[in-house]
Amino acid sequence: GDSVTQMEGPVTLSEEAFLTINCTYTATGYPSLFWYVQYPGEGLQLLLKATKADDKGSNKGFEATYRKETTSFHLEKGSVQVSDSAVYFCARSPGGNQGGKLIFGQGTELSVKP
Amino acid sequence: NAGVMQNPRHLVRRRGQEARLRCSPMKGHSHVYWYRQLPEEGLKFMVYLQKENIIDESGMPKERFSAEFPKEGPSILRIQQVVRGDSAAYFCASSLRGETEAFFGQGTRLTVV
């Protein structure tokens, strides 16, 4: 079945370091791809999304590009801050008429040290 | 414009009791999704509902779990005869239409003792 695979955490970085969190997805259909962020004790917030191949989603300094040829949607940020410490989830939709029925990766915990 | 509201935020139940989790979607949204997040895991889809209809319940356990979204009032996820393995965070999301972006609530953290 459809799936999303993320790199395992936890990832620990120093402030202002470069961040990459890898995400790959199964290629059935024409999915939309998402990154969600979950701060401690909170729900999920949509960070960015891309709806078709070669689209780049961006928000708050984070970016991810929908790569159909490699079935990837890696999350990047040039300079992380302590406030970016959270769990990041990659997700795909099945496409079509079920935009809210998402398939999530297992999450990657990011810890940024001052 | 209030977001997706879930209550209670925290719920403690003894084994064998019933748990009722409520979700009020964003204003104007008629599509609701429930997810479960077990400790150290990602979110798993449970059920997709529209007003008065269950559209997709492929992720719901076959026994003890049920969901509804009545014409009036919030969506309810009901777990009967809870067991320790039901301890998890349960998240609700809503969308304007079936193919549009879903917005998540803050979740209900269920602890079964």
Side-chain angles (χ1 to χ4, degrees):
Chain A
D2 292 336
S3 65
V4 173
T5 303
Q6 304 181 220
M7 65 185 283
E8 287 191 20
V11 174
T12 302
L13 295 174
S14 297
E15 207 165 21
E16 299 184 4
F18 184 86
L19 169 71
T20 300
I21 300 178
N22 290 339
C23 171
T24 56
Y25 63 93
T26 51
T28 51
Y30 302 93
S32 294
L33 301 174
F34 307 83
W35 278 100
Y36 282 85
V37 58
Q38 184 179 31
Y39 297 101
E42 299 293 325
L44 273 71
Q45 300 175 26
L46 178 64
L47 183 59
L48 54 84
K49 66 178 181 180
T51 57
K52 61 183 187 298
D54 299 325
D55 269 2
K56 178 186 280 188
S58 61
N59 186 25
K60 300 180 181 179
F62 290 90
E63 292 184 341
T65 301
Y66 190 143
R67 301 280 188 204
K68 189 176 179 182
E69 64 276 11
T70 55
T71 62
S72 65
F73 192 55
H74 304 324
L75 182 68
E76 296 181 335
K77 186 175 185 182
S79 176
V80 294
Q81 305 300 313
V82 172
S83 58
D84 293 327
S85 298
V87 181
Y88 292 81
F89 291 95
C90 184
R92 60 160 284 172
S93 72
N97 198 32
Q98 293 195 358
K101 182 187 174 185
L102 300 171
I103 298 166
F104 284 87
Q106 72 272 32
T108 302
E109 182 181 357
L110 170 66
S111 177
V112 181
K113 307 295 185 187
Chain B
N1 186 15
V4 178
M5 303 300 292
Q6 291 188 247
N7 66 82
R9 290 290 307 275
H10 300 275
L11 181 61
V12 179
R13 285 288 178 264
R14 296 187 183 280
R15 280 179 294 170
Q17 290 184 318
E18 178 180 288
R20 291 170 69 88
L21 287 62
R22 294 174 181 77
C23 170
S24 297
M26 286 181 70
K27 188 176 181 180
H29 286 193
S30 60
H31 298 250
V32 165
Y33 310 82
W34 284 94
Y35 289 81
R36 178 166 64 175
Q37 184 181 30
L38 293 168
E40 309 297 326
E41 294 188 14
L43 279 74
K44 303 292 186 189
F45 167 80
M46 298 181 76
V47 61
Y48 165 27
L49 309 107
Q50 275 184 271
K51 288 281 187 180
E52 300 184 279
N53 285 304
I54 296 174
I55 306 300
D56 183 338
E57 56 181 349
S58 57
M60 286 280 269
K62 294 290 184 273
E63 297 177 348
R64 302 187 297 107
F65 285 72
S66 62
E68 62 176 6
F69 188 18
K71 187 176 180 181
E72 302 291 338
S75 175
I76 306 288
L77 179 67
R78 183 182 177 206
I79 311 171
Q80 295 178 287
Q81 300 176 323
V82 296
V83 301
R84 288 234 171 95
D86 297 333
S87 296
Y90 292 83
F91 289 95
C92 169
S94 73
S95 65
L96 186 62
R97 296 185 300 273
E99 70 277 13
T100 57
E101 176 187 335
F103 294 84
F104 282 79
Q106 292 189 302
T108 294
R109 281 157 180 81
L110 172 65
T111 302
V112 179
V113 297

